[in-house]
Amino acid sequence: MVNSTSAASSILLLGSSLVALVFSLWWLYFIVPFDTILNKERRRHDLSLFGYGHFFIFAALAGLGSMLNLVTESVAGETGDSAKKIISEPYAMGMLMSMLVVFLLTLTILRELMCRRSSHNVIAMLLALTIIGLSYIAVTQGLPITYGIWLSILAPVVMIWYFGQDNNQWLVKEEN
């Protein structure tokens, strides 16, 4: 029999980690100054890049959404009958992290191609990949997937910080 208090708390903790991950990705997407680029530095190929590049961003987000369902299935199998557990936590974490990498890489490539003044794309992406790798390894070593997801949220947060630094430098250059 499952302890209902334990199941409810694990569901709340998992749900809050998934919501925090989605909000961090939302924040990361909207920190990229696409509006400034398209308004002030309008080039014909920028419009094509922006339009067609978003196909890959939306595809990555759709994949990420389906992986969120996979994560909840892996945790639901754990809190329910152990004989019905089909999806392991390391597998679900690996799939979620692969979709997270696809989204972050796609957004970084689009930012690199459109934001010609960016200087932190490579270091931000390398740090994000390191954090994602560490969070996956932690789950494969026995850390519950919920805590692995909380750890992986640091990847987009690091990218937000670096992209914000670029944005601040651009604002200073535009004022001068």
Side-chain angles (χ1 to χ4, degrees):
M1 183 168 187
V2 176
N3 184 353
S4 63
T5 306
S6 172
S9 63
S10 68
I11 289 170
L12 286 173
L13 192 57
L14 176 67
S16 62
S17 69
L18 295 176
V19 167
L21 178 64
V22 170
F23 280 146
S24 68
L25 296 178
W26 177 82
W27 188 7
L28 177 64
Y29 174 81
F30 282 105
I31 201 168
V32 179
F34 290 125
D35 59 339
T36 303
I37 294 165
L38 293 174
N39 284 332
K40 293 185 179 180
E41 302 177 17
R42 187 169 294 226
R43 293 180 183 88
R44 181 166 290 184
H45 68 278
D46 282 345
L47 297 173
S48 298
L49 278 173
F50 184 76
Y52 289 117
H54 275 76
F55 169 78
F56 298 103
I57 288 177
F58 295 146
L61 285 173
L64 191 73
S66 64
M67 292 309 115
L68 295 179
N69 185 38
L70 188 70
V71 168
T72 57
E73 290 292 325
S74 73
V75 172
E78 183 179 287
T79 58
D81 186 13
S82 62
K84 292 183 180 179
K85 185 172 182 178
I86 298 173
I87 302 167
S88 70
E89 285 188 359
Y91 175 76
M93 185 68 171
M95 296 303 291
L96 178 65
M97 293 301 103
S98 65
M99 287 296 111
L100 181 60
V101 166
V102 168
F103 174 78
L104 295 178
L105 191 59
T106 304
L107 186 63
T108 302
I109 290 171
L110 186 61
R111 185 178 189 273
E112 177 70 32
L113 293 173
M114 290 186 69
C115 302
R116 285 155 196 87
R117 298 182 203 160
S118 60
S119 61
H120 292 110
N121 286 332
V122 173
I123 193 164
M125 192 64 208
L126 288 176
L127 284 172
L129 289 174
T130 302
I131 292 167
I132 290 169
L134 289 174
S135 64
Y136 174 71
I137 289 170
V139 171
T140 60
Q141 296 300 316
L143 185 71
I145 193 168
T146 303
Y147 301 115
I149 293 169
W150 278 111
L151 179 62
S152 71
I153 292 171
L154 291 175
V157 169
V158 164
M159 293 180 79
I160 288 166
W161 186 81
Y162 274 109
F163 290 176
Q165 295 299 313
D166 274 349
N167 292 350
N168 290 340
Q169 290 175 1
W170 296 346
L171 291 175
V172 169
K173 288 179 184 177
E174 285 181 7
E175 290 174 3
N176 293 332

